[in-house]
Amino acid sequence: MKFLTVVASCSYRQRVVVVVIEQGVQMFVIRFLVLGFLAFYSYAMGDQPGGLNGFGTFIAFSGIVVIPAFYMLPTIEAWLRESSNLPSIAAVNLFLGWSIIGWVFALIWAFRKPTPIERAQQFGYQLSQPSFPSQQPDGNKPKKDCPFCGEEILAVAKKCKHCGSELTT
Ligand SMILES: [Zn+2]
């Protein structure tokens, strides 16, 4: 309930981000812990001087895959979430990930899901301003009835737009 209270006090845009982060964070934590453990485990194994048994060698060589995977985890998260910013996130992750800040930045970016509007634009929809037909430019001008056809016309009209009669006022 505390979470809901926090959500309720946010704007809609923040709320979307918070809810999405909450949904995805559990699976991420699992991946983070597993990959992190394997990466450091294999690093520690590879660092061991002397002979390793078969399992130790396997673990050490698995670091070739696991350590880059751990480093690129923000990109993996972005890919799993079908982020529209995947190329940018991958670039930040790859080139700035060595600094912890760049890694965390890429990760947060990966978690940020596009809003429905951004998703619509991503699929090429043109968002037009809502139009109000009742609010025409001459909507509030004074009107009168044409004495020939009875249709409503502007009070300043010199000629009826319906029947074409000349109006003498
Ligand atoms: Zn008329």
Coordinates of all heavy atoms in Angstrom, one line a residue, residues 13 20 78-85 112-127:
R13 N 3.1 10.5 -16.0 CA 4.3 10.1 -16.7 C 5.3 9.4 -15.7 O 5.8 8.3 -16.0 CB 5.0 11.3 -17.3 CG 6.1 11.0 -18.3 CD 6.7 12.3 -18.8 NE 7.8 12.0 -19.7 CZ 7.7 11.7 -21.0 NH1 6.6 11.7 -21.5 NH2 8.8 11.5 -21.7
V20 N 6.4 0.4 -14.3 CA 7.2 -0.5 -15.2 C 8.5 -1.0 -14.5 O 8.9 -2.1 -14.6 CB 7.5 0.2 -16.5 CG1 8.5 -0.5 -17.3 CG2 6.2 0.4 -17.3
A78 N 17.8 -3.8 -22.0 CA 17.1 -2.9 -23.0 C 16.6 -3.8 -24.2 O 15.5 -3.6 -24.7 CB 18.1 -1.9 -23.6
W79 N 17.4 -4.8 -24.6 CA 16.9 -5.7 -25.7 C 15.7 -6.5 -25.3 O 14.8 -6.6 -26.0 CB 18.1 -6.6 -26.0 CG 17.8 -7.6 -27.1 CD1 17.5 -7.3 -28.4 CD2 17.7 -9.0 -27.0 NE1 17.3 -8.4 -29.1 CE2 17.4 -9.5 -28.3 CE3 17.8 -9.9 -25.9 CZ2 17.2 -10.9 -28.5 CZ3 17.7 -11.2 -26.1 CH2 17.3 -11.7 -27.4
L80 N 15.7 -7.0 -24.0 CA 14.6 -7.8 -23.6 C 13.3 -7.0 -23.5 O 12.2 -7.5 -23.7 CB 14.9 -8.4 -22.2 CG 16.0 -9.5 -22.2 CD1 16.3 -9.9 -20.7 CD2 15.5 -10.7 -22.9
R81 N 13.5 -5.7 -23.2 CA 12.3 -4.8 -23.1 C 12.0 -4.1 -24.4 O 11.1 -3.3 -24.5 CB 12.7 -3.7 -22.0 CG 12.5 -4.2 -20.6 CD 13.1 -3.3 -19.6 NE 12.9 -3.9 -18.3 CZ 13.6 -5.0 -17.8 NH1 14.5 -5.5 -18.6 NH2 13.3 -5.5 -16.6
E82 N 12.7 -4.5 -25.5 CA 12.4 -4.0 -26.8 C 12.4 -2.5 -26.8 O 11.5 -1.8 -27.3 CB 11.0 -4.5 -27.3 CG 11.0 -6.0 -27.5 CD 9.6 -6.5 -27.9 OE1 8.7 -5.7 -27.9 OE2 9.5 -7.7 -28.2
S83 N 13.4 -1.9 -26.1 CA 13.5 -0.5 -26.0 C 13.8 0.1 -27.4 O 14.6 -0.4 -28.2 CB 14.7 -0.1 -25.0 OG 14.9 1.2 -25.1
S84 N 13.2 1.2 -27.6 CA 13.4 2.0 -28.9 C 14.8 2.6 -28.9 O 15.3 3.1 -29.9 CB 12.3 3.0 -29.2 OG 12.2 3.8 -28.1
N85 N 15.4 2.8 -27.7 CA 16.7 3.4 -27.6 C 17.8 2.4 -27.5 O 18.9 2.7 -27.1 CB 16.7 4.3 -26.3 CG 15.7 5.4 -26.3 OD1 15.5 6.0 -27.3 ND2 15.0 5.5 -25.2
R112 N 13.6 2.3 -18.6 CA 12.5 3.3 -18.9 C 11.8 2.9 -20.1 O 12.3 2.9 -21.2 CB 13.2 4.6 -19.1 CG 12.2 5.8 -19.0 CD 12.9 7.1 -19.5 NE 11.9 8.0 -20.0 CZ 11.3 7.9 -21.2 NH1 11.6 6.9 -22.0 NH2 10.4 8.8 -21.5
K113 N 10.5 2.5 -20.0 CA 9.7 2.0 -21.1 C 9.1 3.2 -21.8 O 8.7 4.2 -21.1 CB 8.6 1.1 -20.6 CG 8.1 0.1 -21.6 CD 7.5 -1.1 -21.0 CE 7.4 -2.2 -22.0 NZ 6.9 -3.4 -21.4
P114 N 8.9 3.2 -23.1 CA 8.3 4.3 -23.8 C 6.9 4.5 -23.4 O 6.2 3.5 -23.1 CB 8.4 4.0 -25.3 CG 8.6 2.5 -25.3 CD 9.4 2.2 -24.0
T115 N 6.4 5.7 -23.2 CA 5.0 6.0 -22.9 C 4.2 5.6 -24.2 O 4.7 5.4 -25.3 CB 4.8 7.5 -22.7 OG1 5.2 8.2 -23.8 CG2 5.7 7.9 -21.5
P116 N 2.9 5.4 -24.0 CA 2.1 5.1 -25.2 C 2.2 6.0 -26.3 O 2.2 5.6 -27.5 CB 0.6 5.1 -24.6 CG 0.8 4.8 -23.2 CD 2.1 5.4 -22.8
I117 N 2.4 7.3 -26.0 CA 2.6 8.3 -27.1 C 3.9 8.1 -27.9 O 3.9 8.0 -29.1 CB 2.5 9.7 -26.5 CG1 1.1 10.0 -26.0 CG2 3.0 10.8 -27.5 CD1 1.0 11.3 -25.2
E118 N 5.0 7.8 -27.1 CA 6.2 7.6 -27.7 C 6.2 6.3 -28.6 O 6.8 6.2 -29.6 CB 7.3 7.5 -26.7 CG 7.7 8.8 -26.1 CD 8.7 8.7 -24.9 OE1 8.7 7.6 -24.3 OE2 9.4 9.7 -24.6
R119 N 5.5 5.3 -28.0 CA 5.4 4.0 -28.7 C 4.6 4.2 -30.0 O 5.0 3.6 -31.1 CB 4.7 3.0 -27.8 CG 4.6 1.6 -28.4 CD 4.4 0.6 -27.3 NE 5.7 0.2 -26.6 CZ 6.5 -0.7 -27.1 NH1 6.2 -1.4 -28.1 NH2 7.6 -1.0 -26.5
A120 N 3.6 5.0 -30.0 CA 2.8 5.3 -31.2 C 3.7 6.0 -32.2 O 3.6 5.7 -33.4 CB 1.6 6.2 -30.9
Q121 N 4.5 7.0 -31.8 CA 5.4 7.7 -32.7 C 6.4 6.7 -33.3 O 6.8 6.8 -34.4 CB 6.0 8.8 -32.0 CG 5.1 10.0 -31.8 CD 5.7 11.1 -30.8 OE1 6.5 10.8 -30.0 NE2 5.2 12.3 -30.9
Q122 N 6.8 5.8 -32.4 CA 7.8 4.8 -32.9 C 7.3 4.0 -34.0 O 8.0 3.6 -34.9 CB 8.1 3.9 -31.6 CG 9.2 2.9 -31.8 CD 9.3 2.0 -30.6 OE1 8.9 2.4 -29.5 NE2 9.7 0.8 -30.8
F123 N 6.0 3.7 -34.0 CA 5.4 2.9 -35.1 C 4.9 3.8 -36.2 O 4.2 3.4 -37.1 CB 4.2 2.1 -34.5 CG 4.7 0.9 -33.8 CD1 4.6 0.9 -32.4 CD2 5.2 -0.2 -34.5 CE1 5.0 -0.2 -31.7 CE2 5.6 -1.3 -33.8 CZ 5.6 -1.3 -32.4
G124 N 5.2 5.1 -36.2 CA 5.0 6.0 -37.3 C 3.6 6.7 -37.3 O 3.3 7.3 -38.3
Y125 N 2.9 6.7 -36.2 CA 1.7 7.4 -36.2 C 1.9 8.9 -36.0 O 2.7 9.3 -35.2 CB 0.8 6.9 -35.0 CG 0.2 5.5 -35.3 CD1 0.7 4.4 -34.5 CD2 -0.7 5.2 -36.2 CE1 0.3 3.1 -34.7 CE2 -1.2 3.9 -36.4 CZ -0.7 2.9 -35.7 OH -1.1 1.6 -35.9
Q126 N 1.2 9.6 -36.8 CA 1.2 11.1 -36.7 C 0.2 11.5 -35.7 O -1.0 11.2 -35.9 CB 1.0 11.7 -38.1 CG 2.1 11.5 -39.1 CD 3.4 12.3 -38.7 OE1 3.3 13.4 -38.1 NE2 4.5 11.6 -38.9
L127 N 0.6 12.2 -34.7 CA -0.3 12.6 -33.7 C -0.8 14.0 -34.0 O -0.1 14.9 -34.1 CB 0.3 12.7 -32.3 CG 0.8 11.3 -31.8 CD1 1.6 11.4 -30.5 CD2 -0.4 10.4 -31.5

